[in-house]
Amino acid sequence: MRDLTLRPSPISSTVDFLAEGVQHGFLRLPYSHDDSAWGSVMIPVTVVKNGKGPTALLTGGNHGDEYEGPIALFDLARTLKAEDVTGRVIIVPAMNYPAFLAGTRTSPIDKGNMNRSFPGAPDGTVTQKIADYFQRTLLPLADIVLDFHSGGKTLDFLPFCAAHILPDKAQEAKAFDLVSAFGAPWSMKMLEIDAVGMYDTAAEEMGKIFVTTELGGGGTATAKSARIAKTGVSNVLRAAGILKGAVESARTTWLDMPDENCFSFAEDAGLIEPLFDLGNQVKKGEVVARIYPIGRTGVRPLDVEAKMDGILAARHFPGLVKAGDCVSVLAVET
Ligand SMILES: [Zn+2]
């Protein structure tokens, strides 16, 4: 159970989440530092409300170097009109705003990884304070939650929308319905390496219908991945009955990450040679990538083998790899 004696959040909102119409403003978090004695972190937020109906909480920039979410959500915040909405849409395009400004996965202020910081703390670090505000203020307002991710600078993904296998099968089915509506080229039944402290887990434990994405990577967006994100968010809002109009149905291929054998990790550092590209079929025992030791010539590279048959759904992005890095993720068609 959450400690109900926790102090109030230091974050104040310049928008009123109960007011009708369109409001653009900030979540203001006081942050005193060398460049600004009484300064604040100003996290942009938009709320669009029109009468009674469900609330969607839409977030990007949970990791600061993932761009499809912020692109889709800055665009949506600028264009969404109150008369198009039934219910409420809360848009935070860059959740870990300090990380987003720095173009880094984690916050430059406290090295906080937003997606390992939940439930957060009102008296913690900047990242923990933001997490706490989502945990205690924004998530309770929401019925559905869409949190955009991509691979960031170090991973690249097949573009997919995803939800998790959950103990509550009714909640799980509603989440997979939204994944299907999102209409990314691929849809994933997602397995997490480490679910503790994730925003996903916080939302799901509160009974919210939670969907997420991985829409590319490498620390940039493409025309294709940005388009997928923009279409996907509109489709989710339509499927939830919040936005008028029909879901733009697109063909999606369902994938499953059955167990930990889908992950391969580097056991040494070096230069990585990919032997398969995203979307390729890989057989168990095949070499997915080679890692060349770079200290000298004449040394045999280290083979990274697939531990199962599957489609290459994610891969390490930079040309150099370190021991422990995730080299590849395989998924199976369902
Ligand atoms: Zn991410």
Side-chain angles (χ1 to χ4, degrees):
M1 273 301 286
R2 259 322 249 169
D3 180 0
L4 297 175
T5 61
L6 282 178
R7 67 176 72 188
S9 172
I11 295 180
S12 57
S13 170
T14 69
V15 297
D16 177 358
F17 293 107
L18 301 176
E20 300 287 315
V22 178
Q23 299 168 80
H24 304 289
F26 300 94
L27 308 175
R28 191 179 71 79
L29 167 57
Y31 169 51
S32 175
H33 56 109
D34 288 348
D35 298 328
S36 187
W38 288 6
S40 306
V41 176
M42 301 288 278
I43 305 167
V45 61
T46 290
V47 57
V48 181
K49 185 172 181 303
N50 185 24
K52 283 198 166 43
T55 293
L57 174 59
L58 310 174
T59 47
N62 178 324
H63 295 126
D65 61 349
E66 303 173 3
Y67 295 102
E68 285 80 0
I71 291 168
L73 295 181
F74 273 110
D75 183 64
L76 183 70
R78 182 180 63 86
T79 53
L80 192 60
K81 297 188 186 75
E83 60 262 34
D84 298 334
V85 167
T86 304
R88 181 169 53 180
V89 182
I90 300 169
I91 305 170
V92 183
M95 198 176 175
N96 195 344
Y97 197 62
F100 176 71
L101 285 183
T104 51
R105 181 174 180 82
T106 62
S107 174
I109 297 172
D110 55 22
K111 291 290 166 198
N113 179 343
M114 183 61 72
N115 225 21
R116 300 292 181 277
S117 298
F118 278 80
D123 50 2
T125 66
V126 164
T127 307
Q128 288 168 341
K129 285 171 177 167
I130 299 171
D132 170 69
Y133 188 80
F134 274 84
Q135 176 83 29
R136 290 193 295 156
T137 304
L138 294 183
L139 278 178
L141 298 176
D143 299 291
I144 67 165
V145 182
L146 166 57
D147 184 39
F148 279 100
H149 288 259
S150 308
K153 286 176 181 158
T154 65
L155 289 172
D156 195 13
F157 283 88
L158 281 181
F160 64 77
C161 186
H164 299 108
I165 303 293
L166 297 174
D168 180 336
K169 292 300 162 191
Q171 184 187 7
E172 176 191 297
K174 285 180 189 165
F176 283 122
D177 283 349
L178 286 188
V179 171
S180 182
F182 188 100
W186 306 83
S187 296
M188 182 73 84
K189 291 178 180 166
M190 201 157 174
L191 177 72
E192 297 295 343
I193 295 179
D194 175 16
V196 175
M198 290 180 70
Y199 180 50
D200 313 43
T201 312
E204 287 161 354
E205 284 180 351
M206 237 181 263
K208 309 302 178 186
I209 309 307
F210 181 89
V211 294
T212 185
T213 68
E214 296 289 358
L215 292 178
T220 190
T222 64
K224 186 181 167 202
S225 65
R227 208 159 44 231
I228 292 167
K230 288 166 73 171
T231 307
V233 68
S234 295
N235 277 337
V236 164
L237 292 176
R238 289 187 188 115
I242 296 173
L243 194 61
K244 291 194 184 81
V247 172
E248 279 179 41
S249 56
R251 223 182 51 202
T252 189
T253 303
W254 280 88
L255 297 173
D256 185 13
M257 292 160 69
D259 57 51
E260 289 180 358
N261 284 328
C262 61
F263 302 106
S264 289
F265 297 93
E267 295 185 354
D268 212 340
L271 167 70
I272 191 160
E273 178 190 359
L275 298 183
F276 291 91
D277 288 319
L278 292 179
N280 287 168
Q281 281 282 353
V282 185
K283 290 219 155 26
K284 182 177 177 178
E286 280 188 308
V287 179
V288 183
R290 284 187 190 125
I291 300 172
Y292 290 87
I294 50 176
R296 58 182 300 158
T297 55
V299 183
R300 216 185 122 80
L302 181 72
D303 290 342
V304 180
E305 290 178 6
K307 289 176 273 182
M308 55 178 257
D309 293 354
I311 291 169
L312 189 65
R315 70 172 191 96
H316 180 77
F317 189 79
L320 296 181
V321 68
K322 295 186 189 67
D325 286 352
C326 181
V327 168
S328 62
V329 181
L330 295 170
V332 289
E333 246 180 88
T334 59

